[in-house]
Amino acid sequence: MLVFIFRRLLVAFSVAITVSVVSFMLLHFSGDLAISIAGPDSTAEQVEQIRIDFGLDRPIVYQYLDWLWSALQLDFGRSYYFQDSVMSLISERMPVTLTLGAISLALATVIAIPLGVVAAIKQDTWVDRLALTIACIGQAMPSFWFGLTLIVIFAVNLHWLPAGGSSTWQHFVLPSIALGYYATPAMMRLTRTGMLEVLNSDYIRTARSKGLSETSVVFKHALRNAVIPVVALAAVELGFMLGGSIVIESVFSLKGLGQLAWDAISRNDYPVVQAVVLIIAVFYILLTLLADVLNAMLDPRLRVR
C-alpha cells in the first residue's frame, strides 16, 4: 500500500510539473508578451522597456524557473489588467468556485446514487431504460446549452430564480444543476454496475436465505459495498467540475475562478491565466490521487504490500 501511494505521489508530482511547463510555454509562444502588455499603440521603446521590466529579455528557462519558484511560495506576480496581486484575486474568487463545485457534486450524488440503485433493482425494466436514457442525455448534452436552457425557463419565463450573480444562495441553484448534471451519468452508471455485481454475489444470497428483508439486503449490505467506488469517482468528478467551471461561470456571470480565467484570457493577462491553470490542475491532481488511494484501500492485493 505504501509503495502504491509513493508511486502515485511521484506520478502526481510529475504531472504537476508537466502542466506548469506546458502552460508556461504555450503562453509565451503564443506571441510577444511585451507587445500584448504594452498595447497596439505603444512605441518600440516602450515595448523594450516593458520587456526589461518584466524580465522577458532573459532566456525562457530562467523565466520559467523564477516563475515556478515564486509559484511554490504562492507568489504568482501582479495582474496586468486588474492591477492587483494574482494571489489576492484568486483568494477572492476561490470560494465561489469551491461552493459551486461542492453544491454541484452534492446534487449529482443525490440524483445519481438513488437512480443507479433503482435501475439495478429494476434491471431490464422501463425504469432501468429510463435511467439509462437520462444518463445518455446528460452525457451528450453540452453544459453551456443546458445552462442557457435553464436560464430561459426558470429565470426569463418563470422568474423563479436569478439568471446571474453570486450574492445569495438562489444564484447558485441553476449553475449547480447545469454543472451537476454533467457528473450524474458516470456516477449513476457506476452505481448501477456496482449494485448489479453485488446483488449477484454469494453473501447477498446468504443474507436473503437468512430471511432478511429486501430493504435491509439492498441498503444495509449491498449499497454499502457498491457505493464505495462511487465515492472515489466523485473526487475525480469534482476535479472535472472545477476545471469546467469556466463555462458555467461565464454563462451565469459567477465571479469565480472560471470567470477570472475567462477575463484574463480575453485581456491577455498572462500571470492570472498561468496561476488559474496551475491551481485548477493541482486541485484535479490531488483529487485524482485521493480517488486512487480510496480504490487502493478496497484492493486486498495492495493492502498487504
Side-chain angles (χ1 to χ4, degrees):
M1 183 67 179
L2 293 177
V3 174
F4 175 83
I5 294 177
F6 176 76
R7 289 175 178 173
R8 286 295 182 270
L9 286 172
L10 187 60
V11 170
F13 177 77
S14 301
V15 172
I17 293 296
T18 302
V19 169
S20 68
V21 171
V22 171
S23 62
F24 185 88
M25 294 302 178
L26 285 178
L27 288 174
H28 280 69
F29 290 159
S30 62
D32 193 330
L33 299 186
I35 296 177
S36 299
I37 297 170
D41 299 327
S42 58
T43 63
E45 291 77 11
Q46 291 173 329
V47 172
E48 187 61 28
Q49 187 60 46
I50 288 177
R51 187 174 285 111
I52 295 173
D53 293 341
F54 287 90
L56 299 176
D57 57 332
R58 304 174 61 201
I60 193 168
V61 175
Y62 291 103
Q63 294 182 45
Y64 168 74
L65 292 176
D66 287 343
W67 174 78
L68 181 62
W69 175 250
S70 299
L72 292 175
Q73 303 175 65
L74 299 181
D75 179 11
F76 296 100
R78 190 172 182 83
S79 168
Y80 301 157
Y81 174 76
F82 295 98
Q83 292 298 310
D84 195 3
S85 168
V86 175
M87 197 59 202
S88 299
L89 294 171
I90 291 175
S91 301
E92 179 183 347
R93 304 292 188 95
M94 180 74 76
V96 174
T97 299
L98 293 180
T99 301
L100 176 62
I103 297 175
S104 302
L105 181 62
L107 183 63
T109 304
V110 168
I111 296 174
I113 292 180
L115 203 59
V117 171
V118 173
I121 296 174
K122 303 293 184 180
Q123 185 183 11
D124 296 329
T125 64
W126 68 269
V127 177
D128 186 20
R129 296 187 185 94
L130 177 61
L132 293 176
T133 301
I134 294 174
C136 289
I137 294 174
Q139 198 74 44
M141 184 168 50
S143 58
F144 73 89
W145 182 88
F146 186 42
L148 292 173
T149 303
L150 292 176
I151 291 175
V152 171
I153 296 174
F154 295 101
V156 177
N157 293 335
L158 298 177
H159 303 286
W160 287 358
L161 293 166
S166 57
S167 56
T168 64
W169 66 269
Q170 289 96 334
H171 291 87
F172 287 93
V173 175
L174 294 182
S176 297
I177 294 174
L179 190 60
Y181 191 42
Y182 173 79
T184 300
M187 296 175 65
M188 190 281 289
R189 287 199 302 267
L190 184 60
T191 303
R192 178 182 180 274
T193 302
M195 285 293 296
L196 288 174
E197 182 179 351
V198 171
L199 289 174
N200 293 323
S201 61
D202 292 336
Y203 79 91
I204 291 297
R205 285 192 287 269
T206 301
R208 284 170 172 163
S209 66
K210 291 181 178 180
L212 296 178
S213 64
E214 189 65 18
T215 301
S216 178
V217 170
V218 170
F219 292 100
K220 186 176 180 181
H221 296 279
L223 181 60
R224 183 167 57 183
N225 292 289
V227 80
I228 295 178
V230 181
V231 176
L233 177 63
V236 177
E237 290 294 339
L238 179 58
F240 276 118
M241 290 178 182
L242 295 178
S245 64
I246 181 172
V247 176
I248 296 299
E249 289 181 8
S250 299
V251 170
F252 290 93
S253 299
L254 290 174
K255 300 300 183 181
L257 284 183
Q259 183 67 43
L260 178 64
W262 175 258
D263 292 338
I265 292 171
S266 61
R267 295 176 173 88
N268 296 327
D269 199 343
Y270 298 105
V272 176
V273 176
Q274 288 175 328
V276 172
V277 169
L278 182 62
I279 288 176
I280 290 179
V282 169
F283 263 109
Y284 179 75
I285 291 169
L286 293 177
L287 290 170
T288 304
L289 177 63
L290 175 62
D292 289 340
V293 172
L294 290 175
N295 283 325
M297 293 173 62
L298 305 176
D299 192 341
R301 296 172 299 177
L302 292 173
R303 293 179 187 175
V304 298
R305 294 179 63 180

